[in-house]
Amino acid sequence: DGGITQSPKYLFRKEGQNVTLSCEQNLNHDAMYWYRQDPGQGLRLIYYSQIVNDFQKGDIAEGYSVSREKKESFPLTVTSAQKNPTAFYLCASSISPPTGELFFGEGSRLTVL
Amino acid sequence: GENVEQHPSTLSVQEGDSAVIKCTYSDSASNYFPWYKQELGKRPQLIIDIRSNVGEKKDQRIAVTLNKTAKHFSLHITETQPEDSAVYFCAASRGYQKVTFGIGTKLQVIP
């Protein structure tokens, strides 16, 4: 069954701790993305990667880091430098052009205590 | 960079009525305009999309229109049903470039 798997679904962390969110896809997609979803603010792009070993900052990259060592995996680390990390995080992937459709994971909800 | 504005932020309609959600974009080079539906507690899913070489596209009860000159695009849902209740996001992108989303419209269909 192909798709995108995010884990964990819920995560709690204390202030000052780094946390890594996992995103794995078996769709053989080249591009992968991380979005942050906050009420009333839509989906904002954190980082994206179009190919293995390459990634670019999105609109709100400060306080986040990523890696793309494998085509299937694009983990996101929320560092202690992120001022307001409590949010819902969505990972997505897409094939090369021309389709452009994003396939989303089920999301990870991070709460900082 | 691209900026996508979406309105209204909330929309309530009676079952059977039509719903229209409007978006504008800033980058005249954008050429792909998808719409995503996110039901409560679920992931966003593509419901319809349009490319810049097309002015209108329909799929059963939903349609999207694009005005490149004005940089406007809209989602039209006819004969709304309770299961249409969700948050709808418009988006814009240039081919393989990053996708920029609007803030979302929460649609409530009242039975």
Side-chain angles (χ1 to χ4, degrees):
Chain A
D1 191 20
I4 300 180
T5 302
Q6 289 185 239
S7 63
K9 192 170 184 178
Y10 298 97
L11 184 62
F12 297 87
R13 79 151 211 224
K14 294 181 180 179
E15 281 191 24
Q17 291 180 336
N18 292 354
V19 61
T20 297
L21 308 180
S22 170
C23 179
E24 303 277 334
Q25 55 99 357
N26 61 4
L27 300 169
N28 199 32
H29 286 172
D30 293 309
M32 297 187 73
Y33 312 78
W34 275 104
Y35 285 90
R36 170 176 170 148
Q37 185 173 19
D38 297 285
Q41 297 195 56
L43 303 174
R44 293 183 292 167
L45 183 64
I46 305 172
Y47 268 98
Y48 65 108
S49 168
Q50 298 180 349
I51 195 170
V52 175
N53 292 323
D54 187 45
F55 49 83
Q56 289 79 41
K57 292 182 179 180
D59 300 316
I60 56 166
E62 185 176 352
Y64 300 98
S65 65
V66 294
S67 63
R68 187 84 187 277
E69 298 176 0
K70 298 186 301 182
K71 187 176 184 178
E72 302 79 19
S73 179
F74 191 42
L76 173 73
T77 297
V78 184
T79 75
S80 57
Q82 168 51 232
K83 300 302 181 186
N84 185 21
T86 295
F88 188 59
Y89 293 89
L90 283 162
C91 179
S93 69
S94 69
I95 64 174
S96 298
T99 303
E101 178 179 359
L102 294 177
F103 293 82
F104 286 89
E106 293 192 339
S108 294
R109 185 167 297 281
L110 171 64
T111 302
V112 175
L113 304 173
Chain B
E2 176 66 277
N3 181 51
V4 177
E5 295 188 355
Q6 180 174 351
H7 58 95
S9 57
T10 61
L11 179 60
S12 292
V13 300
Q14 292 290 330
E15 182 178 357
D17 288 349
S18 295
V20 179
I21 302 171
K22 298 182 179 181
C23 291
T24 62
Y25 61 99
S26 61
D27 186 352
S28 56
S30 289
N31 57 8
Y32 176 64
F33 307 93
W35 287 86
Y36 288 83
K37 176 183 180 182
Q38 186 179 28
E39 298 178 7
L40 189 62
K42 297 189 176 181
R43 71 187 81 189
Q45 291 190 299
L46 181 74
I47 55 170
I48 194 167
D49 56 12
I50 191 168
R51 298 194 181 272
S52 57
N53 58 347
V54 176
E56 183 176 3
K57 184 177 180 181
K58 291 182 179 180
D59 183 2
Q60 299 183 356
R61 295 186 297 106
I62 61 174
V64 58
T65 59
L66 172 65
N67 182 330
K68 286 189 297 182
T69 303
K71 291 189 279 189
H72 289 173
F73 58 113
S74 300
L75 178 72
H76 304 253
I77 305 174
T78 59
E79 300 174 11
T80 54
Q81 302 169 3
E83 53 265 37
D84 294 328
S85 295
V87 178
Y88 292 81
F89 293 98
C90 64
S93 73
R94 276 192 288 162
Y96 203 29
Q97 301 296 317
K98 62 179 184 177
V99 179
T100 301
F101 286 84
I103 63 170
T105 296
K106 184 176 182 180
L107 174 63
Q108 181 184 20
V109 179
I110 304 167

